[in-house]
Amino acid sequence: MSRIGKLPISIPAGVTVAFKDDVVTVKGPKGELSQKVDPSIKVKIEDAQITFEVDENSPVNYKQKQAFHGLYRSLVNNMVVGVSEGYKKELELVGVGYRVSNQGNVIEFALGYTHPIFIQLPAEVKVETKSERNQNPVLILESCDKQLIGLICAKIRSFRKPEPYKGKGILFKGEVIRRKSGKSASAK
């Protein structure tokens, strides 16, 4: 059995979980999420806990069932945490002239290219930008869906990946970039 898959998920107050036709639906104060579960995994909801068990009679091979066991437990746990507490990511733009602003869910980036970059975010994601004097601009994203917010952060980060020589780029708040020294003067 998967060690992660064996752990039960406790359902916090204000969150409802339903399982029907191999789909787990979680509703809470921050939103509603659903996830299809493979038929080789049994989901039980009782006593304000969700447990996952492997169906020994399913035709899926043993290793795949073990992988599904931990996977679906983690996905449903992320959903429960998302609809009750939510997820928040902060991105920092490090570089001279790098700016970010938003109009609703449309974000505009100025990242040293000849043109500004615009990105339209889905309605489930809340966005906020901060630009203070003598501080790097900060972009704050909030959502109940961990996968969606991670995907958006990866897309935004791909516009200017952090580089190791000057440390410029789009970084997560508090991220440390491993720096390189660059060319060293040749000794004669």
Short mmCIF file of all heavy atoms in Angstrom, two decimals, residues 91-95 98-101 105-122 127 129 139 141 149-163 168-172:
data_model
loop_
_atom_site.label_atom_id
_atom_site.label_comp_id
_atom_site.label_asym_id
_atom_site.label_seq_id
_atom_site.Cartn_x
_atom_site.Cartn_y
_atom_site.Cartn_z
N LEU A 91 4.97 36.37 -6.77
CA LEU A 91 6.06 36.44 -7.74
C LEU A 91 6.69 37.82 -7.68
O LEU A 91 5.98 38.82 -7.58
CB LEU A 91 5.55 36.15 -9.15
CG LEU A 91 4.99 34.76 -9.39
CD1 LEU A 91 4.24 34.72 -10.70
CD2 LEU A 91 6.09 33.73 -9.40
N GLU A 92 8.01 37.85 -7.75
CA GLU A 92 8.76 39.11 -7.65
C GLU A 92 9.50 39.32 -8.97
O GLU A 92 10.13 38.39 -9.48
CB GLU A 92 9.74 38.99 -6.48
CG GLU A 92 10.45 40.25 -6.13
CD GLU A 92 11.31 40.06 -4.88
OE1 GLU A 92 11.60 38.92 -4.50
OE2 GLU A 92 11.70 41.08 -4.32
N LEU A 93 9.42 40.52 -9.53
CA LEU A 93 10.10 40.85 -10.78
C LEU A 93 11.40 41.57 -10.45
O LEU A 93 11.37 42.71 -9.97
CB LEU A 93 9.22 41.73 -11.66
CG LEU A 93 8.08 41.03 -12.41
CD1 LEU A 93 6.99 40.58 -11.47
CD2 LEU A 93 7.52 41.92 -13.47
N VAL A 94 12.53 40.92 -10.70
CA VAL A 94 13.84 41.48 -10.38
C VAL A 94 14.51 41.88 -11.69
O VAL A 94 14.78 41.04 -12.54
CB VAL A 94 14.72 40.45 -9.64
CG1 VAL A 94 16.09 41.05 -9.33
CG2 VAL A 94 14.03 39.98 -8.37
N GLY A 95 14.75 43.17 -11.86
CA GLY A 95 15.40 43.67 -13.06
C GLY A 95 15.08 45.14 -13.26
O GLY A 95 14.01 45.61 -12.87
N TYR A 98 11.63 46.46 -14.99
CA TYR A 98 10.58 45.44 -15.00
C TYR A 98 9.38 45.98 -14.23
O TYR A 98 9.51 46.42 -13.10
CB TYR A 98 11.07 44.15 -14.35
CG TYR A 98 12.07 43.36 -15.17
CD1 TYR A 98 12.62 43.85 -16.33
CD2 TYR A 98 12.45 42.09 -14.77
CE1 TYR A 98 13.53 43.13 -17.07
CE2 TYR A 98 13.36 41.35 -15.50
CZ TYR A 98 13.89 41.87 -16.65
OH TYR A 98 14.80 41.15 -17.38
N ARG A 99 8.20 45.93 -14.86
CA ARG A 99 6.99 46.42 -14.22
C ARG A 99 5.85 45.45 -14.48
O ARG A 99 5.85 44.71 -15.46
CB ARG A 99 6.60 47.79 -14.79
CG ARG A 99 7.55 48.91 -14.42
CD ARG A 99 7.03 50.28 -14.85
NE ARG A 99 6.52 50.35 -16.20
CZ ARG A 99 7.27 50.50 -17.30
NH1 ARG A 99 8.58 50.61 -17.18
NH2 ARG A 99 6.72 50.57 -18.48
N VAL A 100 4.86 45.50 -13.58
CA VAL A 100 3.65 44.70 -13.75
C VAL A 100 2.46 45.51 -13.26
O VAL A 100 2.57 46.27 -12.30
CB VAL A 100 3.75 43.35 -13.00
CG1 VAL A 100 3.86 43.56 -11.50
CG2 VAL A 100 2.59 42.44 -13.32
N SER A 101 1.33 45.40 -13.99
CA SER A 101 0.10 46.06 -13.57
C SER A 101 -1.07 45.19 -14.04
O SER A 101 -0.91 44.35 -14.92
CB SER A 101 -0.01 47.46 -14.17
OG SER A 101 -0.05 47.38 -15.58
N ASN A 105 -8.66 40.95 -14.43
CA ASN A 105 -7.87 39.71 -14.54
C ASN A 105 -6.93 39.72 -15.74
O ASN A 105 -6.46 38.67 -16.16
CB ASN A 105 -8.80 38.50 -14.61
CG ASN A 105 -9.09 37.95 -13.23
OD1 ASN A 105 -8.88 38.63 -12.23
ND2 ASN A 105 -9.56 36.73 -13.17
N VAL A 106 -6.65 40.89 -16.29
CA VAL A 106 -5.67 41.02 -17.37
C VAL A 106 -4.41 41.64 -16.78
O VAL A 106 -4.45 42.71 -16.18
CB VAL A 106 -6.20 41.90 -18.53
CG1 VAL A 106 -5.14 42.07 -19.59
CG2 VAL A 106 -7.46 41.30 -19.10
N ILE A 107 -3.29 40.92 -16.93
CA ILE A 107 -2.01 41.40 -16.38
C ILE A 107 -1.14 41.90 -17.52
O ILE A 107 -1.05 41.26 -18.57
CB ILE A 107 -1.27 40.28 -15.63
CG1 ILE A 107 -2.16 39.63 -14.59
CG2 ILE A 107 -0.03 40.83 -14.94
CD1 ILE A 107 -1.54 38.43 -13.95
N GLU A 108 -0.50 43.06 -17.31
CA GLU A 108 0.43 43.62 -18.30
C GLU A 108 1.83 43.62 -17.71
O GLU A 108 2.05 44.12 -16.61
CB GLU A 108 0.03 45.04 -18.66
CG GLU A 108 0.97 45.68 -19.66
CD GLU A 108 0.63 47.13 -19.96
OE1 GLU A 108 -0.36 47.65 -19.41
OE2 GLU A 108 1.38 47.74 -20.72
N PHE A 109 2.77 43.04 -18.44
CA PHE A 109 4.17 42.97 -18.01
C PHE A 109 5.03 43.83 -18.92
O PHE A 109 4.85 43.82 -20.14
CB PHE A 109 4.71 41.54 -18.10
CG PHE A 109 4.06 40.58 -17.15
CD1 PHE A 109 3.01 39.79 -17.54
CD2 PHE A 109 4.55 40.46 -15.86
CE1 PHE A 109 2.42 38.91 -16.67
CE2 PHE A 109 3.98 39.57 -14.97
CZ PHE A 109 2.90 38.79 -15.38
N ALA A 110 6.00 44.55 -18.34
CA ALA A 110 7.06 45.22 -19.09
C ALA A 110 8.35 44.57 -18.60
O ALA A 110 8.79 44.80 -17.48
CB ALA A 110 7.06 46.70 -18.80
N LEU A 111 8.93 43.70 -19.46
CA LEU A 111 10.07 42.88 -19.03
C LEU A 111 11.31 43.08 -19.88
O LEU A 111 12.13 42.18 -20.03
CB LEU A 111 9.67 41.39 -19.07
CG LEU A 111 8.51 41.01 -18.16
CD1 LEU A 111 8.07 39.58 -18.42
CD2 LEU A 111 8.90 41.18 -16.71
N GLY A 112 11.46 44.28 -20.45
CA GLY A 112 12.66 44.56 -21.22
C GLY A 112 12.57 44.16 -22.67
O GLY A 112 13.54 44.27 -23.41
N TYR A 113 11.42 43.66 -23.11
CA TYR A 113 11.23 43.37 -24.52
C TYR A 113 10.75 44.64 -25.23
O TYR A 113 10.47 45.65 -24.60
CB TYR A 113 10.17 42.27 -24.71
CG TYR A 113 10.58 40.92 -24.15
CD1 TYR A 113 9.88 40.36 -23.10
CD2 TYR A 113 11.65 40.22 -24.68
CE1 TYR A 113 10.23 39.13 -22.58
CE2 TYR A 113 12.02 38.99 -24.17
CZ TYR A 113 11.30 38.45 -23.12
OH TYR A 113 11.66 37.23 -22.62
N THR A 114 10.64 44.59 -26.56
CA THR A 114 10.20 45.76 -27.31
C THR A 114 8.71 46.01 -27.18
O THR A 114 8.21 47.06 -27.57
CB THR A 114 10.51 45.59 -28.81
OG1 THR A 114 9.86 44.39 -29.27
CG2 THR A 114 12.00 45.50 -29.05
N HIS A 115 7.99 45.06 -26.60
CA HIS A 115 6.55 45.16 -26.49
C HIS A 115 6.10 44.70 -25.10
O HIS A 115 6.78 43.90 -24.47
CB HIS A 115 5.89 44.27 -27.55
CG HIS A 115 6.32 42.84 -27.43
ND1 HIS A 115 7.55 42.40 -27.88
CD2 HIS A 115 5.72 41.77 -26.87
CE1 HIS A 115 7.67 41.11 -27.62
NE2 HIS A 115 6.58 40.70 -27.00
N PRO A 116 4.96 45.19 -24.63
CA PRO A 116 4.43 44.67 -23.36
C PRO A 116 3.80 43.29 -23.58
O PRO A 116 3.37 42.96 -24.68
CB PRO A 116 3.37 45.69 -22.95
CG PRO A 116 2.96 46.32 -24.23
CD PRO A 116 4.16 46.29 -25.14
N ILE A 117 3.77 42.48 -22.52
CA ILE A 117 3.16 41.15 -22.58
C ILE A 117 1.87 41.20 -21.77
O ILE A 117 1.87 41.63 -20.62
CB ILE A 117 4.12 40.09 -22.02
CG1 ILE A 117 5.39 40.05 -22.85
CG2 ILE A 117 3.45 38.73 -21.98
CD1 ILE A 117 6.48 39.19 -22.25
N PHE A 118 0.78 40.74 -22.38
CA PHE A 118 -0.52 40.69 -21.70
C PHE A 118 -0.89 39.23 -21.49
O PHE A 118 -0.66 38.40 -22.36
CB PHE A 118 -1.61 41.36 -22.55
CG PHE A 118 -1.42 42.84 -22.70
CD1 PHE A 118 -0.72 43.36 -23.78
CD2 PHE A 118 -1.94 43.71 -21.76
CE1 PHE A 118 -0.54 44.72 -23.93
CE2 PHE A 118 -1.78 45.07 -21.90
CZ PHE A 118 -1.08 45.58 -22.98
N ILE A 119 -1.48 38.93 -20.33
CA ILE A 119 -1.98 37.58 -20.07
C ILE A 119 -3.35 37.71 -19.40
O ILE A 119 -3.53 38.49 -18.47
CB ILE A 119 -1.00 36.74 -19.23
CG1 ILE A 119 -1.50 35.32 -19.06
CG2 ILE A 119 -0.71 37.37 -17.90
CD1 ILE A 119 -0.48 34.36 -18.48
N GLN A 120 -4.32 36.96 -19.93
CA GLN A 120 -5.68 36.92 -19.39
C GLN A 120 -5.79 35.74 -18.43
O GLN A 120 -5.52 34.62 -18.82
CB GLN A 120 -6.68 36.77 -20.53
CG GLN A 120 -8.11 36.50 -20.10
CD GLN A 120 -8.79 37.73 -19.55
OE1 GLN A 120 -8.70 38.80 -20.14
NE2 GLN A 120 -9.46 37.58 -18.43
N LEU A 121 -6.17 36.00 -17.18
CA LEU A 121 -6.30 34.94 -16.19
C LEU A 121 -7.74 34.46 -16.12
O LEU A 121 -8.67 35.23 -16.36
CB LEU A 121 -5.88 35.45 -14.81
CG LEU A 121 -4.42 35.87 -14.66
CD1 LEU A 121 -4.15 36.29 -13.23
CD2 LEU A 121 -3.48 34.76 -15.06
N PRO A 122 -7.95 33.18 -15.75
CA PRO A 122 -9.32 32.71 -15.57
C PRO A 122 -10.00 33.38 -14.38
O PRO A 122 -9.32 33.93 -13.50
CB PRO A 122 -9.16 31.20 -15.33
CG PRO A 122 -7.72 30.93 -15.22
CD PRO A 122 -6.97 32.14 -15.61
N VAL A 127 -6.04 38.36 -8.68
CA VAL A 127 -4.70 38.90 -8.89
C VAL A 127 -4.59 40.27 -8.23
O VAL A 127 -5.54 41.04 -8.18
CB VAL A 127 -4.37 38.97 -10.40
CG1 VAL A 127 -5.29 39.92 -11.12
CG2 VAL A 127 -2.94 39.37 -10.64
N THR A 129 -1.37 43.44 -7.74
CA THR A 129 0.01 43.86 -8.02
C THR A 129 0.41 44.96 -7.05
O THR A 129 -0.41 45.78 -6.66
CB THR A 129 0.14 44.39 -9.47
OG1 THR A 129 -0.80 45.43 -9.67
CG2 THR A 129 -0.09 43.29 -10.47
N LEU A 139 3.76 40.43 -7.75
CA LEU A 139 2.49 39.96 -8.29
C LEU A 139 1.97 38.88 -7.34
O LEU A 139 2.66 37.91 -7.05
CB LEU A 139 2.72 39.37 -9.69
CG LEU A 139 1.56 38.72 -10.39
CD1 LEU A 139 0.51 39.76 -10.76
CD2 LEU A 139 2.03 38.00 -11.64
N LEU A 141 -0.99 36.09 -6.60
CA LEU A 141 -2.07 35.29 -7.19
C LEU A 141 -2.73 34.45 -6.11
O LEU A 141 -2.03 33.85 -5.29
CB LEU A 141 -1.53 34.38 -8.29
CG LEU A 141 -0.83 35.05 -9.46
CD1 LEU A 141 -0.12 34.02 -10.31
CD2 LEU A 141 -1.82 35.82 -10.28
N ILE A 149 -3.18 27.40 -10.28
CA ILE A 149 -2.30 28.50 -9.87
C ILE A 149 -0.84 28.15 -10.17
O ILE A 149 -0.06 29.01 -10.56
CB ILE A 149 -2.54 28.88 -8.39
CG1 ILE A 149 -2.03 30.30 -8.14
CG2 ILE A 149 -1.90 27.92 -7.45
CD1 ILE A 149 -2.49 30.86 -6.81
N GLY A 150 -0.48 26.88 -10.03
CA GLY A 150 0.87 26.45 -10.37
C GLY A 150 1.16 26.58 -11.85
O GLY A 150 2.24 26.99 -12.27
N LEU A 151 0.17 26.23 -12.67
CA LEU A 151 0.30 26.33 -14.12
C LEU A 151 0.47 27.79 -14.56
O LEU A 151 1.31 28.10 -15.40
CB LEU A 151 -0.93 25.71 -14.78
CG LEU A 151 -0.93 25.65 -16.30
CD1 LEU A 151 0.03 24.56 -16.76
CD2 LEU A 151 -2.32 25.37 -16.81
N ILE A 152 -0.32 28.68 -13.96
CA ILE A 152 -0.23 30.10 -14.30
C ILE A 152 1.12 30.67 -13.88
O ILE A 152 1.74 31.43 -14.63
CB ILE A 152 -1.40 30.87 -13.66
CG1 ILE A 152 -2.71 30.48 -14.34
CG2 ILE A 152 -1.19 32.38 -13.75
CD1 ILE A 152 -3.94 30.96 -13.64
N CYS A 153 1.59 30.30 -12.68
CA CYS A 153 2.91 30.78 -12.22
C CYS A 153 4.02 30.31 -13.15
O CYS A 153 4.94 31.06 -13.46
CB CYS A 153 3.18 30.30 -10.80
SG CYS A 153 2.25 31.20 -9.56
N ALA A 154 3.94 29.06 -13.62
CA ALA A 154 4.95 28.53 -14.54
C ALA A 154 4.93 29.29 -15.85
O ALA A 154 5.98 29.60 -16.42
CB ALA A 154 4.71 27.04 -14.77
N LYS A 155 3.73 29.63 -16.34
CA LYS A 155 3.60 30.38 -17.60
C LYS A 155 4.19 31.78 -17.45
O LYS A 155 4.94 32.25 -18.31
CB LYS A 155 2.11 30.45 -18.00
CG LYS A 155 1.84 31.23 -19.24
CD LYS A 155 2.39 30.53 -20.45
CE LYS A 155 2.04 31.29 -21.72
NZ LYS A 155 2.76 30.76 -22.86
N ILE A 156 3.85 32.46 -16.34
CA ILE A 156 4.36 33.81 -16.11
C ILE A 156 5.87 33.79 -15.96
O ILE A 156 6.58 34.63 -16.50
CB ILE A 156 3.68 34.43 -14.88
CG1 ILE A 156 2.22 34.73 -15.19
CG2 ILE A 156 4.39 35.70 -14.42
CD1 ILE A 156 1.40 35.15 -14.00
N ARG A 157 6.38 32.81 -15.24
CA ARG A 157 7.83 32.68 -15.02
C ARG A 157 8.59 32.43 -16.31
O ARG A 157 9.74 32.84 -16.46
CB ARG A 157 8.05 31.53 -14.05
CG ARG A 157 9.16 31.71 -13.10
CD ARG A 157 9.10 30.54 -12.14
NE ARG A 157 10.38 29.92 -12.03
CZ ARG A 157 11.25 30.20 -11.08
NH1 ARG A 157 10.95 31.08 -10.17
NH2 ARG A 157 12.41 29.59 -11.03
N SER A 158 7.92 31.78 -17.29
CA SER A 158 8.58 31.47 -18.56
C SER A 158 8.85 32.72 -19.40
O SER A 158 9.66 32.68 -20.32
CB SER A 158 7.76 30.47 -19.37
OG SER A 158 6.59 31.09 -19.87
N PHE A 159 8.18 33.85 -19.09
CA PHE A 159 8.43 35.09 -19.83
C PHE A 159 9.86 35.58 -19.59
O PHE A 159 10.49 36.11 -20.49
CB PHE A 159 7.44 36.18 -19.44
CG PHE A 159 6.01 35.86 -19.75
CD1 PHE A 159 5.00 36.30 -18.92
CD2 PHE A 159 5.66 35.13 -20.87
CE1 PHE A 159 3.67 36.02 -19.20
CE2 PHE A 159 4.34 34.83 -21.16
CZ PHE A 159 3.35 35.28 -20.32
N ARG A 160 10.36 35.48 -18.36
CA ARG A 160 11.74 35.84 -18.01
C ARG A 160 12.21 34.90 -16.91
O ARG A 160 12.02 35.16 -15.73
CB ARG A 160 11.82 37.28 -17.48
CG ARG A 160 11.93 38.33 -18.52
CD ARG A 160 13.30 38.38 -19.15
NE ARG A 160 13.35 39.55 -20.03
CZ ARG A 160 14.24 39.70 -20.98
NH1 ARG A 160 15.17 38.81 -21.17
NH2 ARG A 160 14.24 40.78 -21.72
N LYS A 161 12.83 33.80 -17.30
CA LYS A 161 13.33 32.85 -16.31
C LYS A 161 14.48 33.49 -15.54
O LYS A 161 15.25 34.27 -16.11
CB LYS A 161 13.81 31.58 -16.99
CG LYS A 161 12.69 30.77 -17.57
CD LYS A 161 13.18 29.50 -18.17
CE LYS A 161 12.01 28.73 -18.73
NZ LYS A 161 12.36 27.89 -19.85
N PRO A 162 14.64 33.17 -14.26
CA PRO A 162 15.75 33.73 -13.49
C PRO A 162 17.08 33.27 -14.07
O PRO A 162 17.24 32.10 -14.42
CB PRO A 162 15.56 33.14 -12.09
CG PRO A 162 14.18 32.63 -12.06
CD PRO A 162 13.76 32.34 -13.45
N GLU A 163 18.02 34.20 -14.21
CA GLU A 163 19.32 33.84 -14.76
C GLU A 163 20.38 33.94 -13.66
O GLU A 163 20.26 34.76 -12.76
CB GLU A 163 19.65 34.69 -15.99
CG GLU A 163 19.61 36.18 -15.80
CD GLU A 163 20.97 36.73 -15.49
OE1 GLU A 163 21.98 36.05 -15.72
OE2 GLU A 163 21.02 37.86 -14.99
N LYS A 168 18.55 38.35 -12.45
CA LYS A 168 17.36 38.98 -12.98
C LYS A 168 16.33 37.94 -13.40
O LYS A 168 16.68 36.81 -13.70
CB LYS A 168 17.72 39.84 -14.19
CG LYS A 168 18.56 41.05 -13.86
CD LYS A 168 19.15 41.72 -15.08
CE LYS A 168 18.16 41.96 -16.18
NZ LYS A 168 18.71 42.75 -17.28
N GLY A 169 15.07 38.36 -13.43
CA GLY A 169 14.01 37.48 -13.90
C GLY A 169 12.80 37.53 -13.00
O GLY A 169 12.70 38.38 -12.12
N ILE A 170 11.88 36.60 -13.22
CA ILE A 170 10.68 36.50 -12.39
C ILE A 170 10.90 35.36 -11.40
O ILE A 170 11.07 34.22 -11.79
CB ILE A 170 9.43 36.25 -13.25
CG1 ILE A 170 9.24 37.40 -14.25
CG2 ILE A 170 8.20 36.09 -12.37
CD1 ILE A 170 8.12 37.20 -15.23
N LEU A 171 10.92 35.72 -10.11
CA LEU A 171 11.21 34.74 -9.06
C LEU A 171 10.02 34.62 -8.12
O LEU A 171 9.22 35.54 -7.99
CB LEU A 171 12.41 35.20 -8.21
CG LEU A 171 13.59 35.84 -8.87
CD1 LEU A 171 14.43 36.58 -7.84
CD2 LEU A 171 14.43 34.77 -9.49
N PHE A 172 9.94 33.49 -7.44
CA PHE A 172 8.98 33.37 -6.34
C PHE A 172 9.53 34.19 -5.18
O PHE A 172 10.74 34.29 -4.99
CB PHE A 172 8.80 31.92 -5.92
CG PHE A 172 8.01 31.11 -6.91
CD1 PHE A 172 8.64 30.19 -7.73
CD2 PHE A 172 6.64 31.28 -7.02
CE1 PHE A 172 7.91 29.46 -8.64
CE2 PHE A 172 5.91 30.55 -7.93
CZ PHE A 172 6.54 29.63 -8.74
#
